[in-house]
Amino acid sequence: MTTETLPLESAKIVSDCPRLRVLVVGKSGAGKSSLISFAFGVKMESISDRARGVSDINKAIESPQNPRFVLHDSMGFEPGETVNLNSIDNFLKVHSGEAVSLEEQVHIIWLCIAVPASGSRVFETGDEQLLTLASELRGK
Ligand SMILES: Nc1nc2c(ncn2[C@@H]2O[C@H](COP(=O)(O)OP(=O)(O)OP(=O)(O)O)[C@@H](O)[C@H]2O)c(=O)[nH]1
Ligand SMILES: [Mg+2]
């Protein structure tokens, strides 16, 4: 087989699903909104160094630079806090499974973690819960 006839695997993925849905998660203040802003050229009102950012996980954020991705910015979670973690859990369940069209599914979970200081834990409890949930939902 020559390179001319070799099918491009990426072309097949793009034809099946032109836009990948990315859910950005992580502890409050980890830099989720900043990441979306810098990596995808999206102006984010919610970046703050003084207060917790407010975002709507259900809002699909489109990048003017890259039409291949659609992003969802989640509210950060804190140890002992369950509301925002529950809304992420709910969003993931709504956007996964065989009954959900391929385009509506979450394809990528981008977990943001702050680089820990020496001796600190890398993952918070919320991070660990999310990783467990994502692994349970994978392939459903
Ligand atoms: N030093 C440093 N600061 C950062 C970085 N990314 C974000 N920040 C700062 O960290 C603060 C919080 O950033 P956000 O992007 O609002 O964090 P977030 O995860 O969206 O926060 P919540 O929405 O409250 O959960 C802001 O002051 C950012 O400027 C980084 O890579 N390095
Ligand atoms: Mg934010």
Side-chain angles (χ1 to χ4, degrees):
M1 189 181 281
T2 66
T3 49
E4 283 81 37
T5 58
L6 193 65
L8 264 180
E9 190 58 30
S10 58
K12 160 130 184 48
I13 294 170
V14 168
S15 104
D16 288 348
C17 186
R19 279 197 326 180
L20 295 179
R21 194 170 298 278
V22 184
L23 174 63
V24 185
V25 296
K27 189 180 164 224
S28 191
K32 300 177 291 298
S33 306
S34 304
L35 187 67
I36 294 174
S37 170
F38 288 112
F40 293 92
V42 180
K43 191 169 179 329
M44 302 290 287
E45 307 289 343
S46 62
I47 298 173
S48 170
D49 52 5
R50 290 192 208 101
R52 293 182 70 178
V54 177
S55 58
D56 177 3
I57 192 170
N58 292 302
K59 183 177 167 220
I61 302 167
E62 294 178 347
S63 164
Q65 293 174 356
N66 195 332
R68 295 264 180 254
F69 295 96
V70 57
L71 300 126
H72 293 263
D73 188 13
S74 64
M75 299 264 289
F77 42 76
E78 298 280 5
E81 176 268 345
T82 52
V83 176
N84 293 339
L85 208 50
N86 286 347
S87 80
I88 295 169
D89 183 293
N90 188 49
F91 182 87
L92 278 173
K93 284 176 179 155
V94 168
H95 289 271
S96 63
E98 278 178 13
V100 181
S101 70
L102 186 58
E103 287 193 23
E104 277 303 312
Q105 292 186 17
V106 168
H107 306 102
I108 298 165
I109 300 173
W110 200 344
L111 173 61
C112 297
I113 51 167
V115 175
S118 170
S120 306
R121 297 176 66 204
V122 176
F123 291 129
E124 304 280 334
T125 308
D127 296 324
E128 288 171 355
Q129 280 178 261
L130 267 168
L131 290 171
T132 305
L133 176 68
S135 130
E136 281 167 10
L137 292 174
R138 196 178 51 183
K140 269 199 181 169

